[in-house]
Amino acid sequence: MKKLLLAATPLFVSGLIAGAVLTMSGSARSESHLVWRPLAEEIVRIIDGAETSYKAGDAEAARRAVAKAYFGVFESRKMEAAMRITLGAKHTYMVEKRFGELRKAIKNGESAARIALIADGIRIALRQDAKALDEANVPAEVFEVKQ
């Protein structure tokens, strides 16, 4: 019996090590494959800047920042395409519409509270959608144009 236990020990230990490596690599894999959450946070930072500019009285800088968040990141870095395919066209349209609402509210000189409300809606939607895309393992490369 003692010989059997000694013979089985290396298999047991190597199994534990292999299990630990798989568990650790699985965690590292999921963390290293976060594509959409960091992108969403980049957009959120730009929206934050737009809101700050607006509160400081610079509506033009605020509008430029919203355009940069939408065209320069959301659309050009393919988050919009990933959402449209993965989460649906109707849902994506509703998120896109919020960017337009924010630009229009800034242009119309609406209250800072109204701007904050719209901006919060964009932040919440982007973070939720980015999480859903990452959890679905949607790669950014799928949406790159090959020329």
Side-chain angles (χ1 to χ4, degrees):
M1 177 78 164
K2 205 174 198 181
K3 285 183 179 181
L4 181 61
L5 285 175
L6 288 174
T9 300
L11 294 174
F12 176 74
V13 171
S14 65
L16 282 178
I17 292 170
V21 168
L22 285 173
T23 301
M24 288 172 44
S25 66
S27 298
R29 182 184 186 282
S30 64
E31 290 299 313
S32 68
H33 281 78
L34 292 180
V35 173
W36 305 107
R37 282 181 251 193
L39 190 62
E41 290 307 316
E42 184 178 338
I43 298 167
V44 164
R45 283 189 296 277
I46 298 168
I47 295 295
D48 291 346
E51 192 175 353
T52 300
S53 293
Y54 190 76
K55 286 178 183 174
D58 193 348
E60 186 55 37
R63 282 188 21 212
R64 281 193 311 268
V66 174
K68 178 182 177 184
Y70 181 80
F71 295 109
V73 183
F74 181 71
E75 196 173 76
S76 74
R77 305 245 318 260
K78 307 304 180 199
M79 186 169 182
E80 180 220 2
M83 286 171 54
R84 189 170 303 284
I85 291 169
T86 308
L87 305 174
K90 185 175 182 178
H91 173 80
T92 303
Y93 170 75
M94 296 308 290
V95 174
E96 289 176 301
K97 187 176 173 183
R98 289 179 179 161
F99 282 95
E101 287 172 8
L102 184 56
R103 277 194 317 272
K104 185 175 179 182
I106 290 168
K107 181 180 178 185
N108 292 339
E110 294 192 25
S111 71
R114 176 76 178 133
I115 300 301
L117 184 68
I118 299 168
D120 282 342
I122 292 171
R123 287 187 275 263
I124 290 166
L126 289 175
R127 286 176 171 144
Q128 287 175 343
D129 293 348
K131 182 178 184 223
L133 293 171
D134 280 337
E135 287 176 353
N137 294 313
V138 176
E141 300 81 37
V142 171
F143 303 100
E144 291 178 3
V145 177
K146 306 283 186 211
Q147 291 185 0

